[in-house]
Amino acid sequence: VDMNRANQSTRVRDRTTAPAAPAELKPELVQELFGQVLSNVPPPPIHFLLYFKSDSVQLLPASVQLLPEIVDTIQQRAPTRISVVGHSDTRGDKAYNLDLSKRRATAVRQQLVDRGVDDTVMDVSSHGEENPLVKTADNVANAENRRVEVIVR
């Protein structure tokens, strides 16, 4: 049985009987039956972007100022996972950029740990120049692509 709209349901009696045709449940019944589960749906992830000086793991001043907000968000949400993902622009060698983006992500992770964030809930990864915010030709410096993305889940 295909159920392809919100609030549809069907009944399954046993292995030998085909399920009933889909029926739409009234919102009040959905709330009565599943309200407790629906109230436990986690909020959507919050994304932060931190930017860096060229060929550096040093955050730009505006990004340094964003760190307290990130820490406050983490403390308020008590997340189970935080992703710290490093990126680079396309200037220079791909292997170097992958390493640079990893060092950026590690530096941000350390700054969060230094501000009291639990290291065990953070995953650090890097994409190098592979996932730019702004598509550019190879070997182009771009400030928006020199970033670390912090995703609080």
Side-chain angles (χ1 to χ4, degrees):
V1 171
D2 281 340
M3 293 190 294
N4 55 15
R5 291 193 319 268
N7 299 333
Q8 285 187 319
S9 70
T10 189
R11 288 195 181 268
V12 178
R13 291 162 88 190
D14 57 47
R15 290 182 186 192
T16 60
T17 307
E24 193 159 326
L25 298 177
K26 293 184 177 176
E28 302 81 32
L29 184 55
V30 171
Q31 188 60 38
E32 180 184 326
L33 294 172
F34 306 108
Q36 187 174 7
V37 171
L38 293 171
S39 70
N40 289 322
V41 172
I46 297 177
H47 297 253
F48 296 93
L49 293 177
L50 302 170
Y51 296 98
F52 292 80
K53 292 184 176 183
S54 182
D55 196 24
S56 170
V57 297
Q58 186 175 357
L59 286 167
L60 294 175
S63 293
V64 171
Q65 292 175 356
L66 193 57
L67 289 170
E69 181 182 341
I70 296 171
V71 172
D72 287 346
T73 299
I74 291 167
Q75 290 171 343
Q76 290 169 10
R77 290 185 64 148
T80 57
R81 296 294 347 131
I82 301 166
S83 297
V84 182
V85 185
H87 300 272
S88 71
D89 58 25
T90 62
R91 186 170 183 204
D93 178 69
K94 277 190 177 202
Y96 177 81
N97 286 336
L98 184 61
D99 178 66
L100 177 59
S101 67
K102 178 74 171 199
R103 288 187 288 129
R104 286 175 173 159
T106 300
V108 168
R109 182 201 60 79
Q110 188 59 53
Q111 290 199 37
L112 294 173
V113 167
D114 292 348
R115 288 169 170 78
V117 175
D118 180 4
D119 186 33
T120 64
V121 299
M122 285 192 275
D123 298 316
V124 174
S125 63
S126 60
H127 293 195
E129 60 186 63
E130 294 304 315
N131 291 312
L133 278 180
V134 178
K135 300 270 188 217
T136 66
D138 194 31
N139 211 26
V140 173
N142 182 284
E144 290 182 86
N145 290 333
R146 294 188 298 267
R147 70 195 189 282
V148 163
E149 194 172 357
V150 177
I151 306 163
V152 181
R153 293 183 170 79

